[in-house]
Amino acid sequence: MDGTPAGPTGWRDHLVGTVSGRRPVVMIAAFEGWNDAGDAATSAVDALRHQWRASAAGSLTDGDYYDYQFTRPTVVRDADGLGTLSWPRTRMYRAVDLEGLDVILVSGAEPSYRWQAFTAELLTHAAEQNVDAVIMLGALLADVPHTRPLPASPATADPELREMIGARRPTYEGPTGIVGVVTDTAARSGLPTVSVWATVPHYVSQAPSPKAELALLRRIEDLLQIPLDLTALAEDAEAWERGVNELAGEDPDVAAYVEQLERARDTEELPEATGEAIAQEFERYLRRRGRD
């Protein structure tokens, strides 16, 4: 999960050109838990839901998949003290006609049981919603400095799609979460599938992690060519970085460790400094200017 930048992004135009008689539909999904360091991935989906004014489009069966002693329900009380329970579940939302696309947003807790059945039910819902492509979001803890851009690079096992969007080939092997299960199952079913993982500094893993969330949303903006208003989130990310700087400055050991990570990162080629990444940033500016 390196910082390889995406190349020219013609994916949206490709989808629009290959789907006839309706708008193409893209599913974007994230899950709480092991796949969601700093809550960055699910926060990104929530941000998209609010910004795109997505409406409810169903949910997956809840009781079959969750251990309520591990993923507990939450309670909210009214003025009289009467509680309303919210049970763990995976919810779906639909945003329509976004630059020629419809988007299905999926968010929920990673299931405790029956992952294969859960994945099959999710992809059945996707088929019923005419989903043409899938983007899976995740976030992981890593040895990255909070003072540098946090990578969020796309990966796909589809060689044609890799070339189209400038993604890398997945290389991770080992224990996986529900994001990995859904990603591989969707790809094997024939759906064009991309995973995007943000890195979160392991020494500041508490939620929220606005800088990682921002990296994911910028990548979504690049992949789908849909302008997003990220001004407030960018300000939150800057405030978060300043706060971590202050905390690190109070502990010489942490400050020395951050400097070590910075030196290691600076010896690598920063994707944000490449001509391709500068061009992407300029394209984002033009899209936002056109929207305004």
Side-chain angles (χ1 to χ4, degrees), residues 35-71:
N35 316 268
D36 193 25
D39 293 353
T42 50
S43 294
V45 170
D46 285 344
L48 293 174
R49 178 168 62 89
H50 290 295
Q51 190 161 147
W52 290 341
R53 297 181 175 86
S55 56
S59 63
L60 272 65
T61 308
D62 50 359
D64 292 342
Y65 302 127
Y66 294 104
D67 178 350
Y68 293 136
Q69 289 186 323
F70 179 74
T71 308

Side-chain angles (χ1 to χ4, degrees), residues 14 20 28 30-31 37 57 61 65 73 86 90 99 106 136 142 149 169 175 182 198-199 217 236 245 251-252 270 283:
H14 174 76
S20 60
I28 302 175
F31 295 92
T61 308
Y65 302 127
S86 178
T90 296
E99 305 288 330
V106 179
M136 301 297 298
R169 181 178 63 85
V182 174
T199 53
L217 290 174
D236 289 344
N245 284 339
D251 188 325
L270 286 175
E283 288 174 0

Side-chain angles (χ1 to χ4, degrees), residues 2 11 34 43 63 68 73 76 97 99 109 133 181 187 212 235 242 250 279:
D2 57 23
W11 195 19
W34 194 73
S43 294
Y68 293 136
V76 176
D97 202 6
E99 305 288 330
V181 173
E235 292 173 353
R242 288 195 300 270
E250 296 172 358

